[in-house]
Amino acid sequence: MARSYHSGLLRKNKPCWSQVMKSLNEGMQRINQTFTEALQAGDAKTLSQVYAEDALLMVPNADIVRGRQDIEAFYRGILDSGFHDHIYERSALEAREDLGYEAAQFTIFTKDEQGQVKKSRGKHLLILKYTDDRWWVHIDIWNDSPS
């Protein structure tokens, strides 16, 4: 029985890998564009919309943040503390049927109380899932790197 997750991306019950990877790459471009634009605008609600309803956010020195609503609240706090931009460099992107991952390094920019920009570096791993005809961030894990 054919699975329904990639309508048009399956051939005889097996994924067409080039189409799945194209779909994942396009999905990641949409996710990254939405995330960046929302981050720069200070819009935690839109930023949280790249996450699945049941997503997990796992960040350093904090409990697991569960679900889109709590992820929105988490990012509201981050944005209110001066986090305003980032850059990232993808290290890997891979898919297996309806799951994919992206590994990357990032630099984040925050402003302190005096308006001085500070930067921090780290790495992240996104686990993505394909449901409702699109890719969603299912699990987001990040760690700090030495400066």
Side-chain angles (χ1 to χ4, degrees):
M1 179 167 118
R3 294 174 70 178
S4 62
Y5 47 82
H6 283 288
S7 37
L9 298 185
L10 296 177
R11 284 191 205 151
K12 297 182 183 175
N13 300 334
K14 293 186 180 181
C16 174
W17 293 115
S18 64
Q19 288 180 314
V20 172
M21 285 303 299
K22 180 178 183 228
S23 168
L24 176 59
N25 192 49
E26 290 169 353
M28 279 308 308
Q29 288 174 358
R30 179 192 52 79
I31 287 167
N32 288 326
Q33 180 178 353
T34 301
F35 187 94
T36 298
E37 289 172 359
L39 177 67
Q40 292 169 344
D43 183 353
K45 177 133 182 102
T46 298
L47 196 150
S48 71
Q49 296 302 305
V50 302
Y51 289 87
E53 281 292 334
D54 61 346
L56 302 176
L57 177 60
M58 303 168 76
V59 300
N61 305 311
D63 291 333
I64 296 173
V65 182
R66 297 175 185 276
R68 189 182 293 153
Q69 184 174 355
D70 289 344
I71 289 170
E72 178 184 343
F74 173 85
Y75 276 114
R76 171 55 42 222
I78 293 290
L79 292 168
D80 289 347
S81 72
F83 183 44
H84 71 97
D85 205 355
H86 78 291
I87 54 175
Y88 81 99
E89 180 181 336
R90 180 184 291 163
S91 301
L93 182 69
E94 188 61 58
R96 294 290 183 266
E97 297 183 6
D98 59 348
L99 291 176
Y101 70 84
E102 179 190 58
Q105 296 180 4
F106 64 83
T107 304
I108 59 171
F109 301 93
T110 57
K111 289 184 181 176
D112 63 19
E113 286 119 22
Q114 292 77 37
Q116 297 294 314
V117 175
K118 305 218 181 229
K119 70 179 186 176
S120 306
R121 295 178 336 114
K123 51 203 167 293
H124 80 96
L125 176 65
L126 296 178
I127 308 295
L128 301 121
K129 69 178 180 178
Y130 191 90
T131 58
D132 301 324
D133 293 323
R134 65 182 272 194
W135 289 96
W136 300 90
V137 176
H138 183 54
I139 302 173
D140 184 354
I141 305 166
W142 84 66
N143 296 288
D144 299 324
S145 293
S147 295

